[in-house]
Amino acid sequence: MWTPPERVRHPIPATAWPSRAQAASSRLFSPVSLGPLTLATRTWVPAMVPWRATAEGFASPDVIAWYRRFAAGRPGAIVIEATGIRDVPSGPLLRIGDDRFIPGLREIVAAVREASEGETKLLIQLIDFLALKRRPPPDKFFARFLRLDAGHRERLAAHLGDARWRDAPEAEVRERLAAGDDALHDAALTTREREDLRVGYRERVTDLHLEHIRELPRSLPPLFAAAASRAREAGFDGVELHYAHAYTMASFLSRTNTRADGYGGSREGRLRLPLEVLAAARAAVGADYALGCRFLGDEVIAGGSDLDDAAHFGRAFAQAGMDFLSVSKGGKFDDAKQPKVGEAVYPYTGRSGYECMPTVYSDARGPFARNLPLAARVRAELRDAGLEIPVVAAGGFNSFELAEAALARGEADVIAAARQSLADPDWWLKMRLGRGAEIRRCKFTNYCEALDTRHQQVTCQLWDRVELDAPDVPLSRDGRRRLLAPAWP
């Protein structure tokens, strides 16, 4: 992953944990309403993909156990991982694109209810994503994937100073391109073709030459609506629409969305489909069901959307009837690290990915609550407009002090912690009981994210080699790591 050039290593700051009485009287452990849904506390485990579903997208025993383990710590809310709304193969990721997935999702709901004794509310994050291919070997790219035309011949001839390439046999042209170096490819290929060669093919929402991309404004609202309806049927307490990071809905919101069909360009054009998806989902689940979204406070890419855009979008979402807004940052394909041949590009490896999940190797600002200003600005915009819906802040929270101070200053209404919750799923409960000294504190080295990047089952280095031979401990596929944090107390 990209790191800031300064590369300052920040120690995990010492902190003071609350007594049981202090926790009971705190803002962090006070209730908050997400429209019709009330959380017992303002503590939130955001969506993380653990790579534990079956290859067909069904809930497996391992993924059910994953959410049961977080629920044992009794956060106010858990958001289930990004769950695909289409009924298409997508690897070991949960899916909700057909009724056959509902029984497994009900098992997750039941496990969370049981483990938290009904205290933790459960939301599910609904996602759409476009096609992505692995980086091809050059010979395969030029032999099978490149659509050769007269332009390639002309540019090849000009670059090599040899006019015969304008009329050479196609097979010979392809072989010459495959044998070429970067300079030849820069000269002969279009920008998009160079990306397909060096990174792998990736669909964009601006690919209007593809019929299914042109039709996204017609196809996505009913898909999201059907998925939201299934979520309610499965027993979830609410839905989080995934409008963040590198995926379809965030791409519609992005300034890089130049569609000229009314669904791109201006802020209003870029907002159009997200608002239509919201309206369709709301019609499907009704006014008495929690419905919100996760979206970006800043894309952190050249030419991308920024905090001014986010403030505008947040106000529009609230006015359209969302019940909560969860603010994230970055995580884009646009600046991702080039993958190895045979691997797919991963959107959390460039600067935008770093800003989404900052580590202890940082600039002078450091990683702790680094992205709080984004949520604070969105919240201020809402309050200035007389809109009271809660805003969820995330990014580097690992102490009671950080969380409580953010709430006290009015910079957020709910505090989300992914990596710290992974390090210690019981940390919320330990704080409430006045036993903060027993908390395993996240080291923010992104060991977990490195596993995610390789699509391996996600665990934490603070506990995944502990008591591997204990009875009934589920292990990773290679048998070298435990899949769940040890039970507490």
Side-chain angles (χ1 to χ4, degrees):
M1 176 184 279
W2 181 94
T3 55
E6 300 93 321
R7 198 171 169 78
V8 177
R9 194 185 194 290
H10 292 260
I12 305 300
T15 190
W17 298 107
S19 67
R20 187 167 188 161
Q22 289 170 329
S25 63
S26 70
R27 292 174 176 84
L28 184 62
F29 293 107
S30 67
V32 63
S33 293
L34 314 180
L37 179 66
T38 298
L39 308 185
T41 68
R42 298 167 185 258
T43 58
W44 185 281
V45 178
M48 293 178 273
V49 173
W51 300 104
R52 282 162 166 75
T54 71
E56 296 78 26
F58 290 98
S60 66
D62 282 344
V63 85
I64 294 167
W66 167 267
Y67 291 109
R68 179 189 295 276
R69 186 65 190 86
F70 284 111
R74 301 201 180 192
I78 296 173
V79 183
I80 297 299
E81 66 201 73
T83 303
I85 64 169
R86 297 178 191 258
D87 192 14
V88 296
S90 48
L93 304 172
L94 285 176
R95 285 157 57 185
I96 195 170
D98 185 85
D99 288 351
R100 69 183 184 278
F101 297 109
I102 292 175
L105 295 172
R106 282 194 182 123
E107 290 188 60
I108 295 176
V109 173
V112 168
R113 297 272 187 270
E114 181 183 20
S116 70
E117 296 185 335
E119 181 174 332
T120 296
K121 303 303 181 184
L122 193 61
L123 298 92
I124 187 167
Q125 188 181 75
L126 303 182
I127 189 173
D128 183 70
F129 41 83
L130 301 180
L132 178 72
K133 305 295 184 183
R134 293 180 175 86
R135 180 185 172 191
D139 58 344
K140 185 175 181 180
F141 174 81
F142 288 107
R144 294 178 52 187
F145 301 143
L146 179 66
R147 295 185 177 182
L148 194 66
D149 59 30
H152 295 107
R153 294 173 177 277
E154 185 63 38
R155 293 189 293 272
L156 180 63
H159 178 73
L160 297 176
D162 186 348
R164 75 180 183 87
W165 290 107
R166 295 188 179 95
D167 301 304
E170 179 176 327
E172 191 175 342
V173 173
R174 290 184 182 277
E175 289 175 6
R176 183 64 186 88
L177 287 169
D181 56 13
D182 284 349
L184 185 145
H185 296 157
D186 288 343
L189 302 179
T190 66
T191 299
R192 184 66 175 274
E193 289 166 346
R194 290 195 297 272
E195 291 178 2
D196 292 348
L197 169 64
R198 295 169 180 170
V199 180
Y201 174 77
R202 176 171 62 88
E203 289 180 345
R204 276 83 156 171
V205 300
T206 50
D207 287 342
L208 298 187
H209 62 287
L210 301 174
E211 182 179 4
H212 68 281
I213 298 294
R214 287 198 307 274
E215 290 301 309
L216 287 173
R218 266 67 64 189
S219 63
L220 286 180
L223 284 170
F224 272 101
S229 181
R230 291 186 191 103
R232 181 159 196 174
E233 184 177 347
F236 288 94
D237 298 297
V239 160
E240 181 179 88
L241 301 170
H242 198 334
Y243 287 3
H245 308 313
Y247 311 110
T248 309
M249 298 307 299
S251 298
F252 271 92
L253 287 169
S254 176
R255 284 188 192 175
T256 63
N257 173 12
T258 56
R259 290 177 68 123
D261 61 351
Y263 287 92
S266 68
R267 280 179 178 169
E268 289 66 31
R270 290 181 277 135
L271 265 168
R272 185 176 173 186
L273 182 57
L275 292 177
E276 290 177 356
V277 164
L278 168 62
R282 176 60 77 195
V285 298
D288 61 340
Y289 192 70
L291 184 59
C293 80
R294 187 162 176 82
F295 76 117
L296 293 177
D298 188 350
E299 288 194 290
V300 201
I301 56 172
S305 299
D306 60 16
L307 187 48
D308 287 337
D309 291 298
H312 181 86
F313 296 156
R315 186 172 65 250
F317 293 150
Q319 290 171 336
M322 282 195 181
D323 296 313
F324 67 90
L325 299 176
S326 179
V327 182
S328 190
K329 187 177 185 180
K332 304 293 291 184
F333 283 119
D334 306 63
D335 65 350
K337 180 180 178 181
Q338 183 184 43
K340 296 178 181 178
V341 170
E343 296 182 357
V345 65
Y346 191 71
Y348 299 96
T349 50
R351 182 186 168 216
S352 71
Y354 172 85
E355 292 292 349
C356 182
M357 290 170 283
T359 75
V360 289
Y361 296 99
S362 186
D363 54 23
R365 242 177 83 209
F368 307 109
R370 182 181 181 92
N371 297 335
L372 179 59
L374 304 180
R377 168 68 188 284
V378 170
R379 188 179 187 277
E381 186 82 10
L382 296 174
R383 300 302 179 264
D384 288 347
L387 299 164
E388 295 297 324
I389 75 166
V391 173
V392 182
F397 285 98
N398 71 337
S399 72
F400 175 81
E401 290 175 293
L402 275 178
E404 186 70 3
L407 296 172
R409 292 191 300 264
E411 294 172 324
D413 302 285
V414 180
I415 301 299
R419 289 172 290 175
Q420 175 55 49
S421 296
L422 176 60
D424 191 340
D426 303 300
W427 84 297
W428 308 110
L429 183 57
K430 290 174 180 177
M431 275 190 279
R432 289 172 71 180
L433 296 177
R435 297 173 66 176
E438 299 176 40
I439 290 173
R440 282 189 302 271
R441 298 187 72 195
C442 178
K443 296 167 66 175
F444 291 100
T445 61
N446 280 11
Y447 169 94
C448 53
E449 179 55 23
L451 293 169
D452 185 28
T453 301
R454 298 193 297 272
H455 294 183
Q456 295 183 16
Q457 294 153 302
V458 174
T459 55
C460 176
Q461 64 183 322
L462 297 178
W463 51 254
D464 68 0
R465 307 300 171 102
V466 175
E467 299 177 345
L468 294 180
D469 57 351
D472 302 320
V473 172
L475 299 179
S476 59
R477 297 182 188 99
D478 61 9
R480 298 174 61 186
R481 295 176 292 124
R482 65 183 298 149
L483 293 179
L484 298 174
W488 181 87

